[in-house]
Amino acid sequence: MLDALMDSAYIKSLPFLWDGLKVTVGITAVGLFFGIIIGAIAGLGKLSKSRIIRAIWTVYVEVVRGTPILAQALFLYFGISEDLIGLNLDSFTAGVIAIAVNAGAYIAEIVRGAVYSIDKGQHEAGRSLGLSQKQTMRYIIWPQAFKRMIPPLGNQFVISLKDTSVFSVIAVHDLVYKAKQYYNITFEVFETLVMVCLLYLCITIPTALYLRRLERKLDV
């Protein structure tokens, strides 16, 4: 029974798919790291008193959220030429940038919503303590807002992880790309795609369960 399982097409595909899974997780992790930075800046920018700053970040958010990530990845990989920026983007870098830019737009709304959700009395309390507006944001508002951002940021990780599946079109050697390579050689399409789905679920389900537990713990 065990020998039959180990010799099955499902298990045999795992070593090949594992390499793709590492690339998928790598792109997601690095892309989200920069996406959080971009999103924090954009979210706070949309809260700025300056109309120009608000307009700039609003345009960024609306353009990115209004276009599919596949089109963004294609634009980064094929549309931006060496003549335009002075260098060629490899597929992995293009994928990371696409995740960072795309996730950043959604994280901006998470940041903006979290900051807005803090009672205005907290702002007034900071000012009454003699803190400047920036100090009030840094020491009073941001810590409370960040606590409320954690669950939706976890959800964004799951979304971005699944978004990487489209990067096979720009030759990123992610999980889906490696799966296509494998079943083109073995013709074991069904078995390979079943394992692809299971590998995604092995990451997304534990993440979702952890987020639910964290949300209850944080009481947000």
Side-chain angles (χ1 to χ4, degrees), residues 110-218:
I110 293 172
V111 171
R112 186 180 66 85
V115 172
Y116 263 139
S117 70
I118 304 301
D119 189 271
K120 291 183 178 180
Q122 299 290 320
H123 293 268
E124 296 170 358
R127 300 308 294 271
S128 67
L129 292 172
L131 300 177
S132 66
Q133 184 175 353
K134 290 183 178 180
Q135 289 174 324
T136 301
M137 175 63 72
R138 179 179 177 182
Y139 296 112
I140 298 179
I141 306 302
W142 185 256
Q144 297 180 69
F146 185 74
K147 178 181 174 182
R148 300 184 182 186
M149 293 177 208
I150 293 176
L153 286 177
N155 291 330
Q156 184 60 48
F157 169 79
V158 173
I159 293 170
S160 295
L161 179 76
K162 294 186 292 184
D163 282 345
T164 61
S165 61
V166 304
F167 294 161
S168 59
V169 300
I170 60 171
V172 173
H173 290 202
D174 69 324
L175 183 54
V176 173
Y177 184 91
K178 299 296 281 188
K180 289 179 180 178
Q181 282 188 323
Y182 186 79
Y183 67 60
N184 282 336
I185 296 171
T186 63
F187 302 103
E188 296 165 343
V189 179
F190 177 81
E191 296 88 342
T192 305
L193 293 180
V194 166
M195 294 309 297
V196 167
C197 292
L198 288 176
L199 287 172
Y200 274 116
L201 289 173
C202 283
I203 298 175
T204 57
I205 290 178
T207 301
L209 293 175
Y210 174 74
L211 289 173
R212 290 177 190 172
R213 181 180 177 184
L214 183 62
E215 192 169 347
R216 290 194 297 269
K217 184 177 180 180
L218 295 175

Side-chain angles (χ1 to χ4, degrees), residues 55-138:
I56 291 172
W57 289 114
T58 298
V59 169
Y60 157 70
V61 169
E62 295 305 321
V63 168
V64 172
R65 294 177 67 191
T67 55
I69 192 170
L70 176 57
Q72 296 163 15
L74 290 171
F75 177 79
L76 286 167
Y77 190 61
F78 295 111
I80 299 181
S81 64
E82 184 175 5
D83 294 335
L84 187 64
I85 63 173
L87 56 88
N88 274 326
L89 293 178
D90 60 78
S91 58
F92 184 90
T93 303
V96 168
I97 295 175
I99 288 293
V101 171
N102 186 271
Y106 290 92
I107 292 172
E109 290 301 294
I110 293 172
V111 171
R112 186 180 66 85
V115 172
Y116 263 139
S117 70
I118 304 301
D119 189 271
K120 291 183 178 180
Q122 299 290 320
H123 293 268
E124 296 170 358
R127 300 308 294 271
S128 67
L129 292 172
L131 300 177
S132 66
Q133 184 175 353
K134 290 183 178 180
Q135 289 174 324
T136 301
M137 175 63 72
R138 179 179 177 182

